[in-house]
Each structure stands twice: as structure tokens, then as C-alpha cells.
Amino acid sequence: MSAQILSGREAADALLAKLKPEVKKLDPKLVIVQVGDHPASASYIKQKLKSCDAVGMRHEHMHLDAKISLDKLMQTIDKLNTDADVTGFIVQLPLPKHLEASVPQIIKAIDPKKDVDGFGAYNLGKTFLSVDFEHLPPATPAGVIELLSYYKIPIEGKHAVIVGRSNIVGKPLAVMLLNRGATITVCHSRTKDLTSITKQADILCAAVGKAKMITKDMVKPGAVIIDIGVSRDEEGLKGDVDFEAVQEIASAITPVPGGVGPMTVASLIRNCVRAKERQLSH
Ligand code: GUN
């Protein structure tokens, strides 16, 4: 048996096609704030801007000096918060070393109405409540949910195992799957006997950033595999899953690249549309 390939490119294109007329009607604008030149950020931002162009959404890329002070960055955020023409903005992570410890403070400064990354406490809190309150959910977990929905993979009643507990992927993904009736186990670096748990997963989501850490022996035959982690080596982009081996026993699997990545970008654009809709109605 060979697994069905869950193409994020196909599902993202379908979502972007649905969003295009809404973008035309609402005319939202996204600003991406980049500080410094982290190599991974450049390619993520390029993807985001490309998808904005694909749907005709206005965008601005603010590229700030790597040495910018926290004060100056906070002033920039204040300006974006009060600029009525800016629908939403994101501060691309990771930030340079001297700002790393201030990330919670920086995210807190973003107006929740414009927090299209969905990283702030207000939007995360709403995501926590129920599906109906998921107004601006974090883009990667939202992308995973949309991908499962596009391929009509049921969530309710399934055992979803998530490896990784970050605030922007693992934790909110657990909540969003729970909101849809899955039974959830979240594993992390301190989890004992990881394989005994991953082997129970109907849906296995890996969000660690360690190449090929999910091997065939860790997967239940017929499981759905969602590979969210990305790492880079000299050969290029790598997922967390040993794709070649695992696809032999999984029922469905996402590739890297071309899986969750494009879904994250499409979900960000959907959040911009939703943010604008809400701003116009208040
Ligand atoms: N760095 C990696 N992924 C993301 C994302 O979705 N948003 C932001 N702001 N930074 C990131």
C-alpha cells in the first residue's frame, strides 16, 4: 500500500481561489515586518508575498535593520496599529538575538484586530473556546485543519498525536483538533517512550524541526501523517518524517515541501480577509 499524497499546493490554491473575490471586494492590506536577515525568513516572506499577489491582495514588506532597538520596533508596531489602511501585520520570527527575549512583549503590542498571525493571547484565547470563536487562529494549525478538510479526512473521534508543544503550532493545533472532537495526546522532548504513543495515532502530526525523526516503526499502519516540521541541510528543506519509508504504511501523508507550508500562507491570507471583514462591521 502506498499512501495518498496530501498536496498542500492543491488545497492552498483551492482556498486562495475562494478568497480572491473576497479580497477584491474588501481590499485588505497585509504588512510583513522583517527584522534582520534570518535565512529561513527570506524564503517564508517570499512565499507570503507571492500568494498575496496571486489573490491580488495589497502588501508591504518592511525590512528593518538587524540592530534596531526594542523601542524603535515598538514604535513601528504602534504606527501599524493606528494606520487605518493596514488591515493586519505580522512580525516575522525568529528575531535577532537581542530581541529574542522580548518576543512575548512584541506580540502583546500588536492590536488583536490586526494580529493576523493569531499569536497574541486574545486570539489564542478565542481559539481555545470553540470552533465558532476561532476568528484569527494561528496560520499553521489552521492550515492543517483546512488540509484535512480539503481531503475529507475525518477528525471527530480520532486519536490525534502531536509531537511538539510550541505556542504557535503544537499547542494551538491540539486545541483546534480537540474543538473538532479528536482525542489528543501532545508529546515533546521530555516524553518517555515516544514510539509507544505515536503508534496509537490515527492522525500523527510532527512539529519539531528535526529531520526524519518520525520513522516507519513509530507509525500505525493506515495512519494519516501531517509533517509540519522543517529543517534545512545542504540538500535543502527536510520534514520531520522519513517520508519514503513512512508512506509505505500510512494511508495519507503530506510532503515537504508542498504540504503544510502553502496551507500556512493561504491561512494567513484568509485571516487578513477575516480581519478586514470584522473591521468594516465595527
Ligand atoms: N516564522 C516561521 N513561521 C512563522 C509564522 O507563521 N509567522 C511569523 N510571524 N513568523 C514565522
Side-chain angles (χ1 to χ4, degrees), residues 9 30-53 59-61 63 90-95 117 119 139-140 168-169 206-210 227-233 236-240 256-269:
R9 291 211 177 98
L30 170 68
V31 176
I32 299 178
V33 179
Q34 180 184 10
V35 184
D37 291 289
H38 190 278
S41 294
S43 85
Y44 286 136
I45 290 171
K46 204 167 128 198
Q47 294 304 319
K48 288 171 185 175
L49 296 175
K50 203 171 137 197
S51 293
C52 285
D53 284 334
H59 54 74
E60 184 183 333
H61 179 193
H63 198 165
I90 68 170
V91 178
Q92 187 69 27
L93 303 176
L95 290 173
D117 252 336
F119 287 175
T140 299
I168 64 177
V169 182
V208 176
K210 197 167 153 204
D227 192 350
I228 307 166
V230 276
S231 47
R232 271 159 223 270
D233 64 11
L237 218 57
K238 290 275 179 335
D240 283 352
V256 176
V260 174
M263 299 307 297
T264 297
V265 178
S267 301
L268 172 68
I269 288 173

Side-chain angles (χ1 to χ4, degrees), residues 126-196:
K126 286 185 73 178
T127 299
F128 194 93
L129 294 175
S130 73
V131 173
D132 292 339
F133 283 90
E134 290 172 4
H135 171 54
L136 299 178
T140 299
V144 171
I145 300 291
E146 180 64 26
L147 188 66
L148 292 170
S149 160
Y150 179 83
Y151 284 101
K152 301 192 167 41
I153 293 170
I155 297 173
E156 194 174 65
K158 301 296 178 189
H159 184 189
V161 174
I162 298 157
V163 187
R165 56 172 158 174
S166 71
N167 285 335
I168 64 177
V169 182
K171 276 194 234 174
L173 178 59
V175 166
M176 291 181 81
L177 289 165
L178 185 62
N179 285 346
R180 289 159 179 80
T183 301
I184 309 296
T185 306
V186 182
C187 304
H188 47 80
S189 54
R190 304 294 158 92
T191 298
K192 294 201 172 72
D193 196 4
L194 182 61
T195 297
S196 72

